[in-house]
Amino acid sequence: MKEQDRRAVEGMARSGMDLDILLRCFPGFSPDEVTDVYQDIQLLLRGYDEKSTLKVNCS
């Protein structure tokens, strides 16, 4: 995955999209890479506030 592609996935993950949605939004990317980016962002966000959880339904 190119750096620009990674940033796009990171931005969507930071906005609250869950992993299933990200995988559907980026079908051309490796699911393993998208999962890695998602998990990295989740760890980062949990570091800011262990108690908060953000869920967004963009349907």
Side-chain angles (χ1 to χ4, degrees):
M1 179 184 300
K2 295 178 185 177
E3 188 63 27
Q4 182 177 7
D5 298 334
R6 181 177 175 83
R7 296 289 175 222
V9 175
E10 284 178 358
M12 301 287 243
R14 285 177 189 266
S15 73
M17 286 191 171
D18 64 16
L19 181 57
D20 293 331
I21 300 294
L22 286 174
L23 292 171
R24 281 189 259 152
C25 288
F26 297 101
F29 299 159
S30 162
D32 291 336
E33 288 179 315
V34 172
T35 301
D36 289 344
V37 172
Y38 176 80
Q39 290 174 342
D40 289 347
I41 294 301
Q42 291 304 306
L43 287 173
L44 180 68
L45 292 175
R46 276 190 224 125
Y48 288 122
D49 185 2
E50 288 284 331
K51 296 179 183 174
S52 69
T53 302
L54 177 66
K55 291 253 182 189
V56 176
N57 182 353
C58 296
S59 58

